Amino acid sequence: MKFNILAALTVFTPLLLATSVNAANPQHVKKLISTGECSGCDLSKANLSGAHLIGADLRNANLKGANLANANLEGADLTGANLAGANLTSALATNVDFKKANLNGVNFSRATIYDSNVYGASMNDLNITNAEIFNTGIGVGGEDAEIPDWK
């Protein structure tokens, strides 16, 4: 009897884990695209490349590992959202609220980021290669950054 239970667990445990792997909820993706509102939604690893998400409500959404390359996020609210490891290559992020968001490991290469709020956001290991950043608290720096002598 114990052997049968152990054998069943050995067979079914990987299947259970496979279904719990973080992946976007298709219903949430559909809701976002159709309404522009998806506060608290699971959009992890979603392919939203080129999406027009102007003014979208994505507060506290899980966008971990999502593909937002070439997306238009103008005026979107991403307060408290998890964007860890997301791809925002060439995205337009003007007037975006990233307040208290997890931006760790986000690829902002060639993105346009103007007048966006990053107050309290976590921003470790950002890729900002060739990004245009204006009036937004994102820049090169940190503990090992060279501090210029302004004398």
Side-chain angles (χ1 to χ4, degrees):
M1 179 70 169
K2 288 181 184 179
F3 178 75
N4 289 341
I5 293 171
L6 182 60
L9 286 174
T10 303
V11 171
F12 291 112
T13 300
L15 295 174
L16 292 173
L17 292 175
T19 58
S20 65
V21 171
N22 289 342
N25 180 326
Q27 306 269 323
H28 291 179
V29 173
K30 184 178 179 180
K31 177 182 177 182
L32 173 63
I33 299 302
S34 63
T35 68
E37 296 181 13
C38 212
S39 180
C41 287
D42 180 8
L43 301 164
S44 56
K45 299 183 182 177
N47 183 2
L48 298 167
S49 61
H52 292 272
L53 302 173
I54 300 166
D57 180 358
L58 290 163
R59 291 171 292 151
N60 300 307
N62 182 6
L63 290 147
K64 184 176 183 178
N67 182 2
L68 291 154
N70 299 299
N72 185 341
L73 296 165
E74 202 171 352
D77 189 350
L78 288 147
T79 301
N82 181 6
L83 288 117
N87 179 11
L88 277 85
T89 301
S90 299
L92 177 59
T94 301
N95 295 310
V96 175
D97 199 342
F98 290 115
K99 187 172 52 179
K100 297 184 180 179
N102 179 351
L103 301 175
N104 295 332
V106 170
N107 183 356
F108 281 118
S109 62
R110 297 185 311 276
T112 302
I113 310 165
Y114 291 175
D115 303 309
S116 293
N117 182 358
V118 293
Y119 177 79
S122 180
M123 296 183 278
N124 296 311
D125 302 319
L126 294 180
N127 179 350
I128 56 172
T129 305
N130 297 318
E132 290 183 32
I133 304 169
F134 180 75
N135 202 23
T136 300
I138 296 175
V140 178
E143 293 176 358
D144 298 327
E146 183 178 326
I147 300 171
D149 185 4
W150 296 105
K151 293 180 186 176

